[in-house]
Amino acid sequence: RSKKKKMQTLPCWGCGLQLEVPQTNAKIFSCPKCGAFNDSPPSLDSKYLYETASWKKKLRKLGKYMLPFGSVVCVPFVTFMMFYVISVGVGFVLPRIFEQWSFGFILSQLLAIFLGFNTIINYQLCLITLIPQAPANSSSLTNLSNSDPKNNNNNLSGYRFCWKCNRIKPPRSHHCSTCGKCVPLLDHHCIFTAGCIGEHNHKYFLLFLGWLFISVIYAFIVSMIVLLSTDVVKTTYSFLIEHIEFIIHKSLVVSNEPRASRSHLSSDWIIGVFIILEALICLITMIGVGVLFFSQLSLIQKGITSFESDFGILHRPPPMYSA
C-alpha cells in the first residue's frame, strides 16, 4: 500500500506563485509559471539543506582560514617563482648555450621573454577579473537583467535563488563557502589565485596553465643542456664537498693553525646552484601543472566543470509542480 506524500506550500521566489510540493529529499522544484528553480528556504528545511559531513565542514572552515594566507603568501610566491625562472634562464642559462649577440642567442632570449610575458599577464588577469554579482535582495523578475545581462527575455528557467548570499543564481552557478559568493560556472576555489575560478576568469586560468606548462618545459630543457654539457655541476659539487669537509674537520679538530688555502673556485658554483634549483622547480611544476592542465582540457571536452565533476551534478531539469 503506497503512502500518501505529505505536501507543503512554498512561494516561488521569482513570481510569488504558491506551489504545493511534496516533502521529499528532492529539494529543487520548478515553477510552472515563470520556470524558476526553487528550493526550500533554510527556515523550512534547514536540516536537509545544510546537513553535510563533518569533514566537509572542517574543510570549508580551513578554506576560510586559508583565504588570507593565499592572498598574502601564495600569490607573491607564485609571482616570485615565475620571475625567478625567467631571470635565471635569461641571465645565466641561455648565455652559456649561445654565443652572445648571435642569432640563436637573440632568438632564444626573445622566446623566453615572450613565454614569460604571456604567463605573467594571464596570471594577473586571472587575479584581477572580478566575479559578477547580482544585487542583494534581487529575488524578483525585475532584477534579472541586473543579475545576468545575457538574459534579454527575462526568462527565469534554470535560475535559482541563493539563500546564503540572498541573490539570484544564474544557471550552473554555485555558492563558494570560502569566498561567500555565488560564482557562475564555478570550477574550483584556487588558493594560488586567492579566489574562485569560474566563468569570469576560467579563460585566463586555462591560458595561464598552458603558457606556464610550455614555459617550464622550455626552461627545463635549456637548464638540462647547460648542466649536462658544461662543468657547472662538477664545480658546484666540488665546492660543496670542500666546504662540508672543512666544517667536519673544524668540528673534530681544534687547532689554532691557519687553515690551508683551498682551491680557488670562481663564482660558477653560485650560478650552478641557481641553475640546479631552476631545473628542479621546472620539473616539479611541469608535472603538477601538466596534470591540472590536461584534466581541465578533458573536462572542457565533456562540457562540465571540476565542481560538477567532483559532486556528480547533472544538468537535468527538476520536477515541476502546479499551484
Side-chain angles (χ1 to χ4, degrees):
R1 183 185 299 179
S2 60
K3 295 183 179 179
K4 187 177 180 180
K5 294 182 179 180
K6 294 182 179 180
M7 305 296 289
Q8 60 179 343
T9 303
L10 296 176
C12 173
W13 63 265
C15 60
L17 182 67
Q18 297 293 326
L19 301 175
E20 288 189 0
V21 297
Q23 294 179 352
T24 61
N25 289 339
K27 63 175 182 178
I28 304 176
F29 53 91
S30 179
C31 176
K33 181 178 180 181
C34 64
F37 289 0
N38 290 259
D39 51 14
S40 303
S43 58
L44 297 179
D45 198 10
S46 58
K47 182 178 180 181
Y48 175 74
L49 278 175
Y50 297 101
E51 186 177 7
T52 55
S54 58
W55 67 270
K56 289 185 178 181
K57 293 180 180 179
K58 294 179 180 179
L59 190 62
R60 290 175 181 175
K61 191 176 294 184
L62 179 63
K64 292 180 180 179
Y65 291 146
M66 294 291 286
L67 186 60
F69 175 80
S71 57
V72 174
V73 178
C74 292
V75 173
F77 175 76
V78 173
T79 306
F80 170 77
M81 284 291 102
M82 289 189 291
F83 278 106
Y84 173 84
V85 172
I86 296 172
S87 302
V88 173
V90 172
F92 299 127
V93 177
L94 295 178
R96 292 176 174 269
I97 300 177
F98 302 99
E99 185 179 353
Q100 193 171 11
W101 303 118
S102 63
F103 176 76
F105 176 79
I106 296 175
L107 185 63
S108 61
Q109 293 279 7
L110 291 176
L111 179 59
I113 294 173
F114 174 75
L115 293 174
F117 175 79
N118 281 280
T119 303
I120 294 174
I121 286 298
N122 282 285
Y123 180 65
Q124 297 301 320
L125 289 173
C126 186
L127 294 177
I128 64 177
T129 307
L130 301 177
I131 302 174
Q133 284 285 288
N137 299 311
S138 54
S139 58
S140 64
L141 189 60
T142 56
N143 291 317
L144 178 60
S145 59
N146 296 326
S147 63
D148 190 4
K150 299 178 184 177
N151 194 331
N152 299 321
N153 300 325
N154 284 340
N155 183 15
L156 285 175
S157 179
Y159 286 78
R160 296 173 62 188
F161 185 74
C162 182
W163 300 101
K164 294 182 180 180
C165 56
N166 203 25
R167 299 172 190 270
I168 289 180
K169 279 202 298 189
R172 300 181 66 184
S173 297
H174 304 284
H175 186 86
C176 176
S177 301
T178 305
C179 294
K181 299 177 181 178
C182 286
V183 183
L185 284 176
L186 173 65
D187 190 83
H188 67 284
H189 183 89
C190 181
I191 189 174
F192 294 106
T193 60
C196 286
I197 304 300
E199 185 182 22
H200 60 292
N201 60 356
H202 194 262
K203 169 187 174 182
Y204 302 120
F205 179 73
L206 193 65
L207 288 173
F208 164 67
L209 291 180
W211 285 113
L212 181 60
F213 184 62
I214 297 173
S215 300
V216 294
I217 291 177
Y218 176 69
F220 179 74
I221 291 174
V222 296
S223 299
M224 292 304 299
I225 290 175
V226 172
L227 294 177
L228 296 176
S229 62
T230 62
D231 295 332
V232 172
V233 177
K234 184 178 179 181
T235 304
T236 306
Y237 177 77
S238 301
F239 179 84
L240 294 176
I241 292 299
E242 186 176 353
H243 275 68
I244 292 173
E245 290 177 351
F246 169 71
I247 293 173
I248 296 174
H249 177 77
K250 188 176 180 180
S251 61
L252 297 178
V253 180
V254 179
S255 175
N256 295 326
E257 297 180 0
R259 180 167 58 95
S261 61
R262 295 170 292 158
S263 59
H264 298 286
L265 297 175
S266 63
S267 59
D268 287 348
W269 73 271
I270 302 177
I271 300 176
V273 171
F274 286 156
I275 298 176
I276 293 173
L277 184 59
E278 175 171 0
L280 291 175
I281 293 173
C282 291
L283 179 61
I284 296 172
T285 307
M286 183 169 55
I287 296 174
V289 173
V291 171
L292 180 59
F293 178 62
F294 287 107
S295 65
Q296 286 284 315
L297 292 181
S298 175
L299 291 173
I300 291 175
Q301 186 181 12
K302 297 176 182 178
I304 59 176
T305 63
S306 299
F307 184 89
E308 294 167 346
S309 175
D310 294 340
F311 289 90
I313 298 176
L314 301 177
H315 310 305
R316 296 176 181 174
M320 183 178 296
Y321 297 101
S322 60

